[in-house]
Amino acid sequence: MDKIRNLSVRKTILFYMAAALLCSFVLSAVIIRIAGRTQTQIWWNYVDEEAYFKAVEKEGADYVADIPRPSSYEMTRSDYFVSELCDFLQTYAVLVLSMVGSCGAVFLFYQNKLKAPMEELAGAAEKIAGNHLDFTVSYENKDEMGALCKEFERMRRQLARNNQILWKTIEEEKMLRAAIAHDIRAPLSVLKGYQEMLTEYLPSEDIDLRQAMEMLSESGRQIERMDAFVEAMRKLNSLENREMNPEEISAGWLEEALRSELAILGKEYGKRCTLQVIEPREEFCGDREMILEVTENLLSNALRYGKQQIVVLVKMGYSELSICVRDDGEGFREDAEKITEAFYRQNVKDSLKHAGMGMYISRLYCEKHGGKLILENEEQEGAVVTAIFGRIA
């Protein structure tokens, strides 16, 4: 049965037709024989037996006695009907049974060979049309229909993979747009702070020209940062593909950059910020923009959730840079893995102003530096986030 089930479609239809015709011919022979005997028995009832036996006695090489066919008016109505039916069966039994057998062979061929795979393919096509790809096309016969079902299953798997790639691309583009919006926010906050300070103190001459020029110079640096970031975002397709730009970083440069931003962000949020930098003997090598973006993300979170004071501790070595940000807020309520997911928001109000990308971007950039992002809670109160960067060549 397995061999028959796995025959090709052409061989299967030939097998069914041959079997049907053979059965039809055998059955026709049996029916013709039975019809002939039945007809002979009917005719015998209307034969003159004495005359018939005399004719049989005269049989020879050139003469054979046969039962004569009675005329229609001699037979009863039922005998006449049966006799005519026997004539019909003897004449057309082969033709009728051959046609019936062929139709039966076609029906069985469809039922046993085509129905199951066609229903399977029709159901699969309907599911694919409805964009439901979490199914399998299962038809195990090793024939043309089995090969067709396997190709259909291969097409379904490819469509599912393409859908996953498409959704991943959409998610990456979504994260990329959110990252651009998120990382431009910090330089804009600094620019906004400088603008407010200049607008407030310059007319009353509370600041001198030197201080004003320093603010303008810092504003120019922030604009250059935004230009560099936008240009980098324009060239990449996802955050993971952002190229790193290794540069020598001194403790003095990093301290100056962080102090200028802490002054602006601290005033904006109305909180006290403290910066501690442990002077190293050697310089660190890393991507300045990525490190500043991570630091700004950590500072923004700490200033947003902290109550009064933010402490930033920087430890720089030849092979590793550590930036630890502490706040006196309520601390983290969920595990680090969930908090560093893309588009994570701690509460509904965050979704109004924040895309939920800060911790995700920070973790990603730390890992690109061969480091990691550590999220902890203070024993008493507050959160501690430590960004560790490894040296890059």
Side-chain angles (χ1 to χ4, degrees):
M1 291 301 297
D2 287 339
K3 290 183 179 180
I4 295 175
R5 196 162 42 242
N6 293 321
L7 284 175
S8 66
V9 173
R10 181 175 58 183
K11 291 180 179 179
T12 303
I13 189 63
L14 289 175
F15 173 78
Y16 275 97
M17 291 299 295
L21 290 175
L22 179 61
C23 293
S24 299
F25 291 151
V26 172
L27 186 58
S28 298
V30 173
I31 290 175
I32 290 173
R33 186 175 182 85
I34 294 174
R37 289 183 177 181
T38 302
Q39 191 178 52
T40 301
Q41 291 176 358
I42 293 173
W43 290 355
W44 180 257
N45 296 329
Y46 301 93
V47 171
D48 185 351
E49 295 183 7
E50 184 178 351
Y52 175 75
F53 287 122
K54 287 182 179 180
V56 170
E57 292 177 355
K58 297 178 181 180
E59 285 183 349
D62 300 328
Y63 176 75
V64 178
D66 199 0
I67 299 175
R69 183 188 186 98
S71 59
S72 59
Y73 63 85
E74 292 181 302
M75 293 185 289
T76 63
R77 180 175 296 180
S78 59
D79 286 345
Y80 177 74
F81 174 77
V82 173
S83 178
E84 292 297 318
L85 178 61
C86 291
D87 280 340
F88 177 82
L89 292 175
Q90 291 179 77
T91 305
Y92 298 106
V94 175
L95 177 62
V96 171
L97 291 178
S98 297
M99 292 177 62
V100 172
S102 298
C103 293
V106 172
F107 174 79
L108 290 175
F109 172 75
Y110 171 78
Q111 189 74 18
N112 298 330
K113 197 71 173 177
L114 300 181
K115 184 179 180 181
M118 289 180 68
E119 289 179 349
E120 186 77 19
L121 292 175
E126 184 176 354
K127 290 178 180 177
I128 290 175
N131 203 27
H132 302 296
L133 300 175
D134 54 342
F135 68 96
T136 56
V137 180
S138 56
Y139 183 74
E140 302 300 329
N141 287 7
K142 300 176 182 178
D143 53 10
E144 291 90 340
M145 299 305 295
L148 181 60
C149 288
K150 287 182 180 178
E151 288 299 312
F152 210 89
E153 171 64 13
R154 187 175 66 84
M155 180 187 71
R156 182 203 65 79
R157 289 197 300 267
Q158 187 62 46
L159 284 173
R161 282 194 294 269
N162 291 343
N163 272 7
Q164 291 175 353
I165 294 172
L166 178 61
W167 281 112
K168 184 179 179 181
T169 302
I170 292 173
E171 287 298 317
E172 287 179 349
E173 290 179 354
K174 183 179 177 182
M175 287 188 286
L176 185 60
R177 290 193 297 269
I180 293 173
H182 184 278
D183 286 338
I184 286 180
R185 185 181 294 112
L188 287 177
S189 297
V190 175
L191 290 173
K192 182 180 177 182
Y194 282 135
Q195 182 188 23
E196 291 175 352
M197 291 177 64
L198 290 172
T199 304
E200 181 179 354
Y201 297 117
L202 194 58
S204 60
E205 297 183 354
D206 290 337
I207 58 174
D208 56 23
L209 182 61
R210 183 184 60 80
Q211 291 175 318
M213 291 302 296
E214 286 179 357
M215 291 182 185
L216 290 175
S217 176
E218 180 63 22
S219 298
R221 192 180 72 82
Q222 295 295 337
I223 292 173
E224 290 177 359
R225 280 192 59 202
M226 286 192 293
D227 287 340
F229 179 78
V230 171
E231 181 64 19
M233 291 296 111
R234 186 182 65 83
K235 293 180 179 179
L236 56 83
N237 295 321
S238 66
L239 291 171
E240 289 82 355
N241 295 332
R242 180 175 176 178
E243 294 182 0
M244 302 180 70
N245 183 26
E247 294 179 275
E248 293 295 330
I249 301 174
S250 64
W253 177 88
L254 185 58
E255 182 177 2
E256 181 182 354
L258 293 181
R259 285 195 184 280
S260 62
E261 294 191 6
L262 279 173
I264 298 301
L265 294 175
K267 182 181 179 182
E268 179 183 351
Y269 285 93
K271 296 170 185 177
R272 186 170 65 256
C273 300
T274 304
L275 175 63
Q276 300 176 11
V277 179
I278 299 177
E279 291 289 342
R281 296 181 178 178
E282 298 175 316
E283 292 186 343
F284 178 76
C285 184
D287 189 308
R288 291 185 177 184
E289 295 304 320
M290 284 190 180
I291 292 172
L292 285 179
E293 287 170 26
V294 171
T295 307
E296 288 168 357
N297 289 336
L298 303 187
L299 287 173
S300 297
N301 282 343
L303 289 166
R304 191 161 62 250
Y305 295 111
K307 294 178 180 179
Q308 294 180 347
Q309 185 173 5
I310 308 299
V311 178
V312 181
L313 176 62
V314 179
K315 295 180 181 179
M316 181 182 291
Y318 175 80
S319 59
E320 185 177 280
L321 170 64
S322 170
I323 301 176
C324 178
V325 180
R326 301 173 182 266
D327 64 60
D328 54 355
E330 297 179 357
F332 297 113
R333 301 174 185 174
E334 298 181 83
D335 58 63
E337 184 176 353
K338 185 171 184 180
I339 294 173
T340 55
E341 289 179 353
F343 307 107
Y344 169 81
R345 300 177 181 91
Q346 185 165 320
N347 54 57
V348 178
K349 292 182 180 179
D350 284 345
S351 63
L352 300 176
K353 294 184 178 180
H354 305 282
M357 293 288 293
M359 287 298 184
Y360 170 75
I361 295 171
S362 300
R363 177 181 62 81
L364 181 64
Y365 287 170
C366 286
E367 291 174 354
K368 287 179 73 69
H369 271 82
K372 58 184 176 179
L373 187 69
I374 303 173
L375 281 68
E376 300 173 310
N377 284 324
E378 290 275 22
E379 293 183 2
Q380 301 296 328
E381 188 179 38
V384 182
V385 182
T386 305
I388 299 176
F389 303 91
R391 184 182 182 88
I392 59 176

